[in-house]
Amino acid sequence: MVDRIVTGAHYGLRDWLVQRVTAVLMVAYVLFIGAYVVLNSSYVSNTWVGLDYNTWTGLFSNLVMRSFSLLFLFAVFYHAWIGVRDIVMDYVKSARIRLVIYVLVIMALLLYSVWAVQILWGM
């Protein structure tokens, strides 16, 4: 009989599901922004006229849009964390190097999260 050695904290199904949910959220956000750009841009005198500063600030002055943008960014960060963690677990054999990479990635993602809040809410 072969003894099964269990490692980790059973991330498999939960992380797979989180990656799918965050991916769907990111696709919805990108499709919304894409549709907004297409619907609010125009073609004048053989020149494509994109969105101006006032149109963008009008869009992001809405609390719902800022919240959706922050949710999108958090989804990107969490999605990235799961992907990086899984790649590092698979390919980096040294526990010390793995720990250093984890700490650096977590610190970067936390700083990006704080930065995103500052950008969206102007703090």
Side-chain angles (χ1 to χ4, degrees):
M1 177 163 204
V2 177
D3 288 333
R4 186 174 140 197
I5 300 173
V6 178
T7 60
H10 309 287
Y11 295 115
L13 181 62
R14 184 188 70 203
D15 286 344
W16 179 87
L17 185 61
V18 168
Q19 285 229 296
R20 285 356 176 236
V21 170
T22 56
V24 168
L25 179 69
M26 290 184 289
V27 166
Y29 184 84
V30 168
L31 289 176
F32 173 78
I33 293 294
Y36 186 82
V37 168
V38 168
L39 294 175
N40 289 297
S41 299
S42 58
Y43 191 73
V44 179
S45 300
N46 296 329
T47 305
W48 184 258
V49 180
L51 303 177
D52 60 356
Y53 177 78
N54 293 328
T55 307
W56 280 114
T57 55
L59 174 64
F60 284 96
S61 65
N62 186 350
L63 178 64
V64 173
M65 186 60 199
R66 284 189 287 174
S67 300
F68 190 35
S69 296
L70 190 62
L71 182 63
F72 165 78
L73 290 170
F74 285 161
V76 168
F77 300 152
Y78 196 55
H79 191 92
W81 164 246
I82 292 171
V84 168
R85 190 200 66 217
D86 288 351
I87 289 170
V88 169
M89 269 197 286
D90 288 345
Y91 294 107
V92 178
K93 300 303 177 194
S94 170
R96 288 181 181 157
I97 296 173
R98 214 174 25 236
L99 179 63
V100 169
I101 293 171
Y102 287 162
V103 168
L104 291 174
V105 170
I106 289 170
M107 285 175 40
L109 292 174
L110 288 174
L111 288 173
Y112 293 154
S113 297
V114 170
W115 192 22
V117 170
Q118 286 178 336
I119 290 171
L120 288 169
W121 270 271
M123 294 179 185

